[in-house]
Amino acid sequence: NYCLKEKLQIMNRNGNTYTVLYAAIMVILVAALLATISMSLKDRQVRNTEIEKKQSILASVNIESTAANAEEIYAEKIKKEYVVNVKGEQIEGDAFNVDLKKERAKAHEDMLLPVFECQTDDGLKYILPLRGTGLWGPIWGFVALNDDMNTIYGANFDHQSETPGLGAEISTPA
């Protein structure tokens, strides 16, 4: 470390070699720092994503929640989670962790769909996730159906990157 510091002091600070070496060292240090921070926060990121998904599921049946109480309300209101195939037959699987992006890439007959059952004051609701293509990025959401499976009770949509004032309005209450 001392030799490197000494060589940098001797080097012409106005030369290209010094500039490139200095930039390379800074890039390596910053990259190492960012990678360490990212890895240390990975568990929190996953947990926050799960909480956000639970809030979206609850919002589709018009149940308001915060990051602090979403898990408690979800556990109370969501009575059942399961996975169905394209024929509507219930099969083994973890409904909460089904990735619709991966499912859409499969052949139609191999696709799986998660279903969430929620008990509300208005009766049993079936919540189905949706995913589609927006103008600038994916759009996803949840649609809640009444127990007749024919009437929409509520919906909640979100997006990754849409035009402000146009597609971005999908995630606002209005």
Side-chain angles (χ1 to χ4, degrees):
N1 188 20
Y2 178 74
C3 289
L4 179 61
K5 186 177 180 183
E6 190 175 282
K7 285 183 180 184
L8 286 176
Q9 287 176 347
I10 295 171
M11 224 182 266
N12 178 8
R13 292 187 181 190
N14 295 324
N16 290 339
T17 305
Y18 178 83
T19 303
V20 170
L21 188 58
Y22 182 81
I25 290 170
M26 290 304 294
V27 166
I28 291 169
L29 288 175
V30 170
L33 179 65
L34 289 175
T36 302
I37 291 170
S38 176
M39 288 173 54
S40 67
L41 294 175
K42 184 67 175 169
D43 292 339
R44 284 186 180 185
Q45 292 171 345
V46 169
R47 188 171 183 316
N48 287 342
T49 302
E50 290 174 357
I51 290 172
E52 182 182 15
K53 184 174 181 177
K54 289 177 180 181
Q55 285 181 285
S56 294
I57 290 170
L58 292 170
S60 71
V61 287
N62 305 315
I63 297 174
E64 300 228 5
S65 63
T66 64
N69 67 7
E71 291 180 306
E72 180 184 330
I73 295 172
Y74 183 88
E76 176 189 332
K77 296 291 185 177
I78 303 299
K79 298 301 182 187
K80 194 173 177 185
E81 302 174 356
Y82 50 92
V83 179
V84 296
N85 60 20
V86 294
K87 297 176 185 173
E89 302 165 334
Q90 189 171 333
I91 61 169
E92 288 293 319
D94 180 9
F96 194 80
N97 291 314
V98 171
D99 185 351
L100 285 186
K101 182 178 181 181
K102 291 179 182 176
E103 293 302 319
R104 287 190 61 197
K106 293 180 180 179
H108 180 70
E109 59 275 357
D110 296 330
M111 287 184 187
L112 302 176
L113 179 68
V115 178
F116 304 90
E117 292 183 6
C118 179
Q119 189 60 50
T120 68
D121 295 337
D122 297 328
L124 183 64
K125 308 300 176 202
Y126 295 93
I127 304 167
L128 307 173
L130 304 170
R131 184 175 178 88
T133 305
L135 183 60
W136 300 112
I139 295 174
W140 60 88
F142 296 90
V143 172
L145 303 174
N146 283 335
D147 59 357
D148 66 1
M149 299 294 281
N150 202 28
T151 307
I152 294 177
Y153 178 76
N156 182 50
F157 295 98
D158 208 347
H159 63 92
Q160 185 174 346
S161 57
E162 287 298 316
T163 308
L166 296 173
E169 292 298 315
I170 195 169
S171 61
T172 62

